[in-house]
Amino acid sequence: MKISYNWLKDYINIKISPKQLEDKLTFSGIEVEAVENPGENLKDIKVGKIIEKKQHPNADKLSICIVDDGKEKLQVICGAPNCAVDQKIAFAPIGTKFGEFKIKKVKLRGEESFGMICSEKELGISADHDRILILPKNAPTGKDLSSYLEQNDTIYEVEITPNRPDLLGMIGVARDVSALLSIPLKIPDIKINESSEEISEKLELQNDAPDLCPRYTARIIKGVTIKESPEWLKKRLISIGLRPINNVVDVTNFVMMEFGHPLHAFDYAKIAGKKIIVREARNGEKFPALDEETYELQNAELVIADTEKPIAIAGVIGGENSHITESTTDIVIEAANFLYSSIRKTGNRMKISTDSSYRFERDIADETADIVSKRAAQLILEIAGGTLLKGKLDSFPDPKTPLVVKIRKSRVKRILSIDVSSDTIKKYFEALELKFIEEKNDVLSFEIPPFRKDLSREIDLIEEIIRLYGYNNVITLHKPQQIMNRAIFYTRRKVKDILVNNGFSEVKNWSFGDPEDLDKLGIPANDERRNFAVLKNPLGNRFSIMRSMLIPDILNNAVFNINHGSKNIKIFELIKVYTRKDQKLATERFHLSGLLIGNCNPVHWSEELHKIEFFDVKGIIEELIFSLGVFKAEFKNSREPFYQPGINADVIFKNEVIGSLGKMDPKTATIFNIKQPLYLFDIYLDKIFSLSKIQEPVFKEIPKYPPVLRDLSFLISKKIKFSSIIETIKKVNNTISKVDLFDEYVGKNIEKNIRSLTFSLVFSSAIKTLTDEYINNIFKKVVEELKDKYNIEMR
């Protein structure tokens, strides 16, 4: 539904900006999905005048028009059938933008066109693309369309929940805003003058389906003049996306959008037998609708009929056999209410959705029918003239007794944790048009207005209080809990994908563990992992604590698989571990642990088999942490007691240990009944998430210019780290986009503390092709920098 900021100001004196109002609406439960500023799109479009028109010599359906835009006269090709000389039209000159489309000078069948005469669809007024928008003759030529149509407005596209049909009209929204901002609501003063002629003498009403139509009202106005609506009415409808048709139909649409209750107008002369019958359709009955379709009706579908035929599908769509035309002089104003489930069922079967059916499907109030009937009669008399017959036809067999709901102040405080006085509660509810009945001790009683069917219980009233008080104004007593970090959630999923792509299988174990497993792994007494959370009522000693490590269960999984004949095993587990020292609740952290046994890759004819080595595991971990934004990790000897000395490493990032990897000490492995060589890794994911910036991936354009590859070989001390060398090389020039180490040699003809390294350097630029001369100069600087800093010797 669309809400106009300017239209709302007819009912409340808004003193806040459109942006502030957007926030107020959203926080009050009226979710704003989109905001439009229609005037912005119309500023470049001008009021033009067609001063000449002739047939296009090379196209039967095109015309050549000369348009005066107030400054110059321009030739424009137009294909609309309704353009004519002396018409005022909406003219888009060259340069005007419609979204991504820009008006340009073009040739159509050999004739030049210097702009475009706009249809209603192009202006966003309706879906009509075949006919141009014709403006009133007094529209000033050359004026921009935004100023002429007074489109300096803000339009809110809002989502109204199904339980709030009272918000499907401007007055309903204004009522909520007036309560939120504590400003008076100005509802139109409805006064109608009736003639002495009785309506009952001209029309009869028969309601044969009171269960499907709980209320039906009809009024007659004689002697109306069907013509174009006044500018203020057309502008109001256009602002919310409705197309003006004629003064009577426009009034019914205006009142529907004002009060949120649909109406319909019939041509009195087309009602056979001068009798309106509300009845169920006859199976197979044909109905010609206003959308130019003929529908075959089914039993139990509600129709409005005369003595001969259906003249409307109740609450859904009117008929061509009774609609208002230019020759209409007497009209019948229908204002009714229908059973919401019946309307929804009929609309769904026929695949028809209209502004009327949208509202009736949400169970609007019976009582509003008479109000909108009077309002429509008032405006039609003002705009179309005529005489209103005395009285109304009204079928209202079962009027409801107003509901009274009680609310306790003590319960308000208990549920909302706020102190609200009786006077404040009265102020809130009276602003929403609830009638205060009485206050006894702690209990206040209110009569619920018919249009608020959603307020039937005490808790409903409490919800209204917090909505008007402001959810954001409640004092927060506890720190907000982060339910899910989306980026980290998808990063954990990516970690699993990387491991699976490397041949791993994921395992799932219980979160319960055995404290003796920590003894088996040799975990020191002062280690944080000894601060485990103990269960009060465990299943047994093996399940007596919340796991502070994943490795013991990973080892047990490996034993199970080995005992069932598996020789090559790659498994991992990614889940939370738990530690607790003095705090009441345990600290939860995500850990990743994995195990590798046997061959590195599956058997395949194209590859030689090789057993898993330390550097295979290190490569997997490097790939994994690189994907987590850890680009400068160091690997140092690990202090974990369960690794074999000399074949292990702690992963260091920003001076913090973020994990470890290595070959398991055979003695420790034997305690777990594993005789095969195996490798483990243990990664502290939460620590990585806190140290690195986990962000959504950013995509870069593929360089237009080809990269250049060069290899660099030299001798260097073993004490120098690979990461330091790579960092030094990259700092020489920003065209060095990638540096990879692809060969290391130690041994024959190389001194004891020296090693030979070979790096691959990739040079690339996004702005130009790199010449050999340019690359040679940078390469020379790289060599000089390495010689100065590390005393390398080129090979």
Side-chain angles (χ1 to χ4, degrees):
M1 176 183 163
K2 291 186 176 182
I3 298 172
S4 163
Y5 179 82
N6 288 344
W7 195 342
L8 279 180
K9 291 197 291 185
D10 290 347
Y11 313 110
I12 47 176
N13 185 19
I14 306 175
K15 293 184 179 179
I16 59 175
S17 68
K19 176 60 180 172
Q20 290 172 314
L21 179 60
E22 177 190 346
D23 295 337
K24 289 286 184 184
L25 289 172
T26 298
F27 277 108
S28 71
I30 306 174
E31 183 182 356
V32 178
E33 294 187 326
V35 179
E36 302 174 13
N37 295 293
E40 293 295 321
N41 300 326
L42 302 179
K43 285 184 177 178
D44 294 332
I45 299 172
K46 299 179 180 181
V47 176
K49 182 180 180 181
I50 300 176
I51 58 176
E52 185 181 330
K53 175 190 172 184
K54 61 181 180 180
Q55 180 65 43
H56 193 296
N58 302 317
D60 294 337
K61 294 185 178 181
L62 297 179
S63 301
I64 300 175
C65 301
I66 305 298
V67 175
D68 181 2
D69 71 351
K71 289 184 178 179
E72 55 184 330
K73 296 176 177 61
L74 300 165
Q75 178 172 295
V76 181
I77 308 300
C78 181
N82 65 325
C83 68
V85 175
D86 290 334
Q87 284 177 343
K88 294 292 182 70
I89 46 86
F91 174 64
I94 291 173
T96 304
K97 287 186 177 180
F98 293 92
E100 297 182 358
F101 175 69
K102 187 176 182 180
I103 300 295
K104 299 178 181 178
K105 175 185 171 182
V106 295
K107 266 192 176 183
L108 297 173
R109 298 288 185 92
E111 296 290 338
E112 291 183 327
S113 182
F114 296 86
M116 182 174 72
I117 301 174
C118 301
S119 68
E120 293 182 358
K121 182 177 181 180
E122 286 144 356
L123 298 173
I125 295 172
S126 76
D128 189 353
H129 185 67
D130 297 326
R131 303 170 69 84
I132 61 171
L133 175 66
I134 300 173
L135 301 171
K137 291 184 178 180
N138 60 357
T141 302
K143 192 168 186 176
D144 70 87
L145 204 60
S146 175
S147 300
Y148 172 68
L149 294 177
E150 297 178 5
Q151 287 287 296
N152 296 318
D153 195 1
T154 300
I155 306 299
Y156 306 101
E157 184 79 39
V158 298
E159 177 64 30
I160 304 298
T161 55
N163 67 323
R164 292 296 306 274
D166 60 296
L167 296 176
L168 294 174
M170 295 294 168
I171 287 178
V173 176
R175 183 187 297 112
D176 251 40
V177 175
S178 74
L180 280 168
L181 304 180
S182 299
I183 52 179
L185 175 66
K186 299 177 289 184
I187 294 179
D189 185 19
I190 303 174
K191 293 180 180 179
I192 52 176
N193 295 318
E194 298 178 333
S195 69
S196 58
E197 187 176 4
E198 294 282 349
I199 187 175
S200 57
E201 298 174 0
K202 296 293 182 181
L203 190 66
E204 184 181 348
L205 173 61
Q206 179 180 320
N207 187 354
D208 292 339
D211 292 340
L212 301 179
C213 177
R215 189 170 195 186
Y216 191 98
T217 70
R219 281 185 163 86
I220 293 179
I221 301 179
K222 297 176 65 177
V224 298
T225 303
I226 304 301
K227 58 184 178 180
E228 191 175 324
S229 295
E231 286 303 308
W232 71 265
L233 178 53
K234 291 196 292 185
K235 288 173 183 177
R236 282 285 180 258
L237 296 178
I238 289 171
S239 70
I240 57 171
L242 295 182
R243 180 170 62 92
I245 298 173
N246 60 53
N247 51 0
V248 170
V249 175
D250 291 350
V251 165
T252 60
N253 285 333
F254 175 86
V255 175
M256 174 181 67
M257 299 309 300
E258 185 177 47
F259 282 91
H261 194 117
L263 306 94
H264 190 66
F266 297 108
D267 187 332
Y268 174 75
K270 297 176 182 177
I271 299 176
K274 305 311 173 192
K275 184 176 183 179
I276 289 179
I277 305 170
V278 183
R279 62 172 173 85
E280 293 183 20
R282 302 182 184 100
N283 200 35
E285 199 168 15
K286 304 291 185 182
F287 174 72
L290 284 173
D291 61 1
E292 299 181 355
E293 297 284 342
T294 298
Y295 296 94
E296 184 173 312
L297 305 177
Q298 295 182 358
N299 290 335
E301 291 178 340
L302 192 66
V303 297
I304 312 301
D306 56 23
T307 56
E308 298 177 356
K309 60 189 180 299
I311 55 176
I313 300 175
V316 178
I317 194 169
E320 278 192 333
N321 54 12
S322 61
H323 74 295
I324 306 299
T325 64
E326 292 181 357
S327 61
T328 300
T329 56
D330 302 335
I331 64 170
V332 177
I333 302 173
E334 170 198 272
N337 195 21
F338 308 104
L339 183 65
Y340 62 92
S341 57
S342 171
I343 303 302
R344 187 181 299 125
K345 183 178 180 181
T346 301
N348 287 343
R349 188 188 73 80
M350 296 183 176
K351 295 181 174 55
I352 304 174
S353 180
T354 61
D355 288 320
S356 293
S357 65
Y358 177 78
R359 285 161 175 79
F360 283 123
E361 287 171 3
R362 280 154 176 76
D363 195 16
I364 57 180
D366 301 334
E367 290 77 4
T368 317
D370 188 45
I371 298 172
V372 297
S373 177
K374 289 179 181 177
R375 176 63 167 160
Q378 177 192 32
L379 291 175
I380 290 172
L381 291 171
E382 292 176 5
I383 294 171
T387 303
L388 176 64
L389 299 194
K390 186 178 180 180
K392 66 177 183 293
L393 302 180
D394 191 353
S395 172
F396 195 11
D398 187 23
K400 302 293 187 296
T401 303
L403 178 66
V404 174
V405 178
K406 297 179 180 181
I407 182 171
R408 292 163 287 174
K409 289 190 294 181
S410 57
R411 194 173 184 214
V412 172
K413 184 174 181 180
R414 186 167 67 252
I415 292 177
L416 302 181
S417 72
I418 59 175
D419 283 312
V420 184
S421 66
S422 297
D423 290 340
T424 301
I425 293 175
K426 291 177 190 177
K427 185 187 78 171
Y428 285 160
F429 290 154
E430 287 174 350
L432 295 173
E433 297 187 27
L434 277 68
K435 183 180 178 182
F436 173 67
I437 304 297
E438 62 176 357
E439 180 178 1
K440 286 184 178 180
N441 300 324
D442 186 43
V443 181
L444 289 83
S445 300
F446 292 90
E447 182 181 302
I448 309 301
F451 53 80
R452 288 304 303 270
K453 294 184 180 182
D454 59 308
L455 304 180
S456 60
R457 304 167 299 165
E458 181 183 29
I459 195 66
D460 298 328
L461 298 186
I462 293 174
E463 185 180 358
E464 289 298 285
I465 289 174
I466 191 60
R467 195 171 64 85
L468 297 177
Y469 182 87
Y471 295 98
N472 53 327
N473 293 325
V474 178
I475 298 173
T476 304
L477 301 177
H478 303 284
K479 292 182 179 180
Q481 297 298 308
Q482 184 175 356
I483 296 174
M484 185 182 83
N485 184 311
R486 187 178 297 273
I488 289 178
F489 172 81
Y490 285 114
T491 301
R492 290 199 302 268
R493 180 180 292 179
K494 181 170 68 174
V495 167
K496 293 182 180 182
D497 289 342
I498 290 172
L499 290 172
V500 170
N501 291 340
N502 278 281
F504 284 78
S505 297
E506 183 179 7
V507 296
K508 290 284 187 181
N509 294 294
W510 284 12
S511 293
F512 309 134
D514 186 348
E516 292 184 5
D517 288 336
L518 302 180
D519 299 330
K520 294 177 182 178
L521 290 173
I523 304 301
N526 61 349
D527 193 287
E528 182 189 17
R529 290 167 289 192
R530 288 283 185 179
N531 299 325
F532 42 72
V534 180
L535 298 179
K536 287 186 177 181
N537 188 25
L539 297 173
N541 289 334
R542 289 184 57 203
F543 308 101
S544 60
I545 66 171
M546 300 296 291
R547 290 189 300 174
S548 60
M549 290 184 72
L550 304 180
I551 286 177
D553 280 337
I554 290 279
L555 292 168
N556 292 330
N557 297 143
V559 172
F560 180 85
N561 281 274
I562 291 169
N563 291 341
H564 284 76
S566 296
K567 296 180 179 179
N568 303 310
I569 302 172
K570 286 184 178 180
I571 55 176
F572 74 92
E573 185 172 18
L574 193 165
I575 202 165
K576 289 179 179 179
V577 295
Y578 305 85
T579 57
R580 182 174 69 179
K581 194 171 185 181
D582 299 321
Q583 70 268 35
K584 185 177 181 180
L585 297 175
T587 300
E588 304 177 21
R589 300 186 182 94
F590 275 100
H591 269 227
L592 168 68
S593 296
L595 176 148
L596 302 90
I597 295 176
N599 295 325
C600 187
N601 296 314
V603 176
H604 195 269
W605 63 269
S606 65
E607 296 181 14
E608 290 186 12
L609 290 177
H610 80 273
K611 296 292 183 180
I612 294 167
E613 299 174 350
F614 174 80
F615 286 102
D616 295 321
V617 184
K618 182 173 179 284
I620 293 169
I621 298 305
E622 285 179 328
E623 178 187 357
L624 197 146
I625 63 175
F626 189 86
S627 72
L628 299 177
V630 178
F631 303 119
K632 297 180 180 180
E634 298 180 58
F635 292 83
K636 295 183 178 179
N637 288 334
S638 177
R639 297 181 180 180
E640 293 286 14
F642 45 82
Y643 290 131
Q644 183 173 328
I647 314 178
N648 58 63
D650 279 342
V651 188
I652 313 294
F653 179 59
K654 294 184 178 180
N655 299 318
E656 294 271 359
V657 178
I658 61 171
S660 66
L661 66 144
K663 184 178 181 181
M664 191 171 190
D665 192 315
K667 296 178 182 178
T668 307
T670 302
I671 298 174
F672 284 89
N673 299 316
I674 300 176
K675 298 179 181 179
Q676 294 88 337
L678 67 97
Y679 290 84
L680 297 170
F681 59 83
D682 193 26
I683 305 299
Y684 317 146
L685 287 181
D686 272 10
K687 190 173 282 189
I688 294 176
F689 295 153
S690 64
L691 293 174
S692 66
K693 294 182 179 179
I694 305 298
Q695 298 176 336
E696 296 293 329
V698 177
F699 297 94
K700 294 183 179 179
E701 185 179 357
I702 297 173
K704 299 178 182 177
Y705 305 98
V708 179
L709 278 67
R710 293 287 176 89
D711 292 342
L712 175 63
S713 297
F714 53 83
L715 302 174
I716 192 169
S717 170
K718 290 182 178 179
K719 296 180 180 179
I720 309 301
K721 298 177 183 177
F722 297 134
S723 59
S724 299
I725 299 171
I726 292 172
E727 187 176 351
T728 300
I729 294 173
K730 284 188 172 182
K731 283 183 177 179
V732 172
N733 193 280
N734 59 11
T735 59
I736 303 175
S737 59
K738 191 175 181 182
V739 180
D740 288 322
L741 173 69
F742 70 87
D743 185 62
E744 178 191 24
Y745 175 73
V746 291
K748 190 176 180 181
N749 299 326
I750 302 292
E751 294 181 23
K752 185 176 181 181
N753 294 321
I754 301 295
R755 57 184 169 185
S756 173
L757 301 177
T758 304
F759 288 88
S760 172
L761 279 62
V762 178
F763 300 82
S764 63
S765 172
I767 58 174
K768 64 180 180 179
T769 300
L770 301 178
T771 62
D772 286 341
E773 183 182 357
Y774 183 82
I775 297 297
N776 290 337
N777 287 333
I778 297 175
F779 194 84
K780 184 178 179 182
K781 290 178 182 179
V782 169
V783 173
E784 291 173 353
E785 184 68 21
L786 293 174
K787 283 182 177 180
D788 291 343
K789 196 167 184 178
Y790 304 121
N791 196 28
I792 68 165
E793 182 182 339
M794 296 295 294
R795 295 196 70 188

